[in-house]
Amino acid sequence: MEITNDTADEMWLRASVMMRRANHQTFEVNVDATGEDAVSLRLRSEIVQWLRAPLVSDSAHATVILRTVTAQVADGLKLEGPAADEGWHIHVPALSEHEKGKSSDPVIIESPSTRGLLYGFYAWLEGAVPSASMKPQDKISSPDQPIRMLDQWDQSDGSVERGYAGESIFYGRWGSNVHSEFVNFPDRGAQDVFRGDTDRLIAYARFCASVGINAICLNNVNVRGYAIRFIQDPWLSRVAQIAHIFESFGLSVFLSVNFAAPRIISGLSTLDPCNSDVQQWWDKTVDRIYERIPHFGGFVVKADSEGEPGPYQYGRTHADGANMFARALARHGGTVIWRAFVYNSHTDWRDRSAAADRARAAWENFHDLDGKFAKNAVLQVKFGPVDFQTSEPLNPLFFAMKHTNLIMEFEVTAEYLGHQIDLNFPLPQWEQMASWLVEKNVPVSKTLGLYAPNPQLTGFAAVSNVGMDWNWTGNPLAQANLFGYGRFCWDNNIPTTSVSEQWSALTFPRCDQDHQKTIARMLDQSNEIYKHYAAPLGVGFMVNRDGHYGPGPDDYEFSRWGTYHFADRDGIGVDRTQSNGTGYVGLYPEKQAKMFENPNTTPDDVLLFFHHLPYAFRMKDGRSLIQRIYDDHFEGAARVEDLIRQWNSCKKFVDECRWKEVSHRLLLQQANACEWRDEMCTFLYRFSGISDEHGRKINR
Ligand code: GCW
C-alpha cells in the first residue's frame, strides 16, 4: 500500500512526503526489529516505504541503523521516566559525511522498544525535512506520560458526537460510501456499518503514532445502538480488524462499553456490579475479546451520567462498578478507564446551595473512593470541574486523589471552542491546566502520577477532532490541535510557539519561513482571542444550547443542567467561596483555596467562576468589571480581523484549496465574534444600565 492516499490530506507529514518524493539519496537501512509481531512488521514497512530503501542485514554498511538497546542509550545518555522504554535516541552524523554515504558514520535511531523505534523513526523523518536543520547531533527524548490517548466519540451510525469534520472515519450508514464487505452482518437489516476504509484508518493511525499517541478508544462514551454490541461477534471481528491496524502503529485499542450491556444483549435481570452473574457475564465477554484482540487495552466507561446507566441504581459505588470491569480485564492485563464526569443534571437555577453546584459534582462523587479502585483501574477526570469550557480552574479531584491512577481529560475537538470554524489552538489552555499541578518545582510529568498505585496508568486522554472531511479536521488549521495534543502529551512543558512553528513548517513546507511563522503566530494568539469574545472571565456556559456554537447567554440559565452565570441587575458570576457561596473553594488545598476565596487574588481568567461580583468591581488593572467585559469583547472581535489580515498575507504561499477553506472559516469566525460581542455587551448593558466608557456602538 502506498503511503499517501491522494484523496487524503497528509497533515503534518506533508513535508516528509515532499521530501520523500524529491529524495534522490539512497539509504541502506539496518533494523534489528526482525520479529513478526505487528509493530515490527509495520516499522519495517514504514521504513521501506518512506525511504524507498532496502533493508540490509549487515549493519556495517548501513547508512541508517535502527536498534533496540537498554535505557542507557549512549555514554552519559539515559532515557528516563515511567515511559522510558518508549523513548528514543537519535544520532545524526555531520551532513557532509552523511551525504557522502560514509557507512562508518550512519544515522542511528535507538530505543528500548520497537514502539520507541517507530517514534524515533518519525522524529528523525520530521527533523530530516529540508527546511529543518540537519546538524550533527544527539537527540534524546522520552514521553512524560505513559498514557497518551485519543477518544473517538464516533457512533455506529457514522455520526460523531461533537464532531466538526464530517462523518466518522470508522463507521457509516448503509448506502453511504462504505465498502460492501463490511456491511452484510447476519443481523438482518442493520443500517449501521463499519466503513471499511482501511487506507484512511492506516493514515490516521500513522498520524497518531507520528506524534506519540499510544492508545485509542474506538467509540463514543455514550454507547448506543449497535455500538453496545461491538464487544460481541460479528461486530467484534470488525473491531479486531481495526484494532490490528492501530496496534501495528503502537496504539492499544479500547472500547467504550454500556454498563447495561448484560441486560440489553443477554437479558440479565440485574446489572448489580457485585452480583456474580453480572461479573461472570463480563468475564466471559472479556475472554472472548482477548481471543480476538490479544493486546486489547480495555474499556472506557461513562456511568450514572447524563442518562447513562450505572452502579448507583443498585446502591453501589463507582469503585464497585469500575472494579467489576477491572477484575474481568485484569486476567488479561487490561485496564478499565472510568470517567469522573458524573453529575446530576436535574438541578434548579434558584437553588444556590452547595448540593446544586455542578462544579462540586465530580469531587462529591469520587473523593471518598480514593484508594478503593483496583490497581488496573484509572479515573479519567476532565481538566475542569464543569465541562471543557474556555476557562476553568483545575478540577480539585486532581489534588484529592492520592491513591488512584489518574488521567486528565481534554477535548481536541472544539466543542465549546468554536467548532473548528473559529481558529482556536488550545495548547495554552492545556498547559495552563497541567501547570496547576506543579508543586514545589516537581514537574507535571511527575505530579500527575505521583501517587498512582500503578505508575504506568497515568496520563492524558482527549476527544479527537477528525472525520471524513478532505482535510481531516474541517478547518485545515485545526490539524495543529491534534498535532499539538500529541506533542503536549509527550512533553508536558513544550512551549506553544515551538509546537505551532514546528507544525506550520511541517504542514506548509512550500511557504517561506516568515509566513510559516505568521501562521504559527495566528495559532498562538487564537485561544486568547476566542476567550476574549466568548463567555467572560471564566463564567462559562453562555453558549448557544443548540450545538454549543455562538452566544446564548440565557440558554442554560433557567434550564435543569446546573450551569448558571447568575447575571442580574447587580452583578454576574457564581459565588463559590467558603464564606458566602457554595463552598467549592474549600475543596482545594489550602494554598489554592486561599487564592480563590478572595476576588483580588483570583486569576482574571476564572474570576467569575469563583465570584459573583458587582459590575463596578475594580479589576486588577483598574478597570471596572463591566468595562473590562465590554473591552474584551470589542478587542476579541477586532483581533479576528487581524487574523484575517495575517492569513491574507500568506495567500501566495499556500495552495488554493487550503487558503480558501481557511479564509471562508475566518469570515464565519468574524461574524461569530461580532455576534458574541454584540449579544454579550447588550445582554449585560440591559442588566447593568452601565454604558461603555468608549461609547462604542453595539449593533443590537
Ligand atoms: O460536554 C459534554 C458533551 C457531551 C458529552 C459529555 C461527556 C459524550 O456535551 O456530548 O457526551 O460531555 O463528556 O460525556
Side-chain angles (χ1 to χ4, degrees), residues 286-522:
V286 166
D287 291 347
R288 271 195 309 270
I289 295 176
Y290 277 89
E291 276 165 26
R292 292 299 173 106
I293 312 173
H295 301 291
F296 185 62
F299 294 145
V300 176
V301 189
K302 170 176 176 177
D304 286 318
S305 177
E306 299 186 333
E308 297 303 313
Y312 279 162
Q313 201 186 334
Y314 301 89
R316 307 294 181 187
T317 69
H318 280 265
D320 295 330
N323 292 345
M324 170 185 68
F325 292 102
R327 266 192 298 274
L329 289 158
R331 296 166 311 128
H332 301 276
T335 301
V336 61
I337 298 178
W338 193 266
R339 292 181 85 232
F341 183 66
V342 175
Y343 70 101
N344 173 11
S345 50
H346 294 262
T347 51
D348 184 326
W349 65 272
R350 283 158 295 213
D351 179 0
R352 297 203 187 190
S353 69
D357 182 2
R358 178 164 156 191
R360 297 182 64 109
W363 195 88
E364 298 289 2
N365 281 295
F366 288 94
H367 79 280
D368 266 359
L369 301 177
D370 189 26
K372 303 214 165 105
F373 289 93
K375 215 172 163 190
N376 63 328
V378 191
L379 192 62
Q380 178 163 310
V381 185
K382 286 191 181 179
F383 69 81
V386 179
D387 193 5
F388 298 135
Q389 299 300 289
T390 47
S391 283
E392 284 188 53
L394 187 71
N395 194 320
L397 265 189
F398 288 108
F399 301 106
M401 306 304 268
K402 300 286 191 204
H403 309 278
T404 304
N405 303 311
L406 292 174
I407 284 179
M408 194 183 288
E409 182 178 354
F410 297 103
E411 270 188 333
V412 178
T413 194
E415 177 181 358
Y416 295 98
L417 303 187
H419 286 199
Q420 284 144 233
I421 296 171
D422 299 25
L423 191 62
N424 199 332
F425 180 57
L427 190 61
Q429 183 192 44
W430 304 336
E431 287 190 329
Q432 189 198 11
M433 285 304 136
S435 73
W436 285 53
L437 283 173
V438 176
E439 271 199 72
K440 298 195 186 105
N441 296 329
V442 181
V444 185
S445 51
K446 301 226 166 58
T447 43
L448 187 56
L450 198 55
Y451 307 104
N454 181 347
Q456 291 303 310
L457 292 185
T458 180
F460 296 125
V463 186
S464 181
N465 67 344
V466 301
M468 287 303 287
D469 272 8
W470 65 272
N471 60 48
W472 291 92
T473 51
N475 187 337
L477 299 187
Q479 294 172 1
N481 301 11
L482 193 58
F483 177 86
Y485 173 68
R487 286 286 192 261
F488 163 72
C489 288
W490 188 280
D491 175 355
N492 304 165
N493 295 308
I494 195 162
T496 303
T497 318
S498 97
V499 180
S500 54
E501 288 186 358
Q502 205 178 34
W503 176 80
S504 152
L506 293 169
T507 309
F508 294 97
R510 286 184 216 279
C511 212
D512 70 6
Q513 267 193 13
D514 280 354
H515 290 85
Q516 286 176 347
K517 285 202 168 145
T518 302
I519 296 172
R521 214 175 313 118
M522 291 172 64

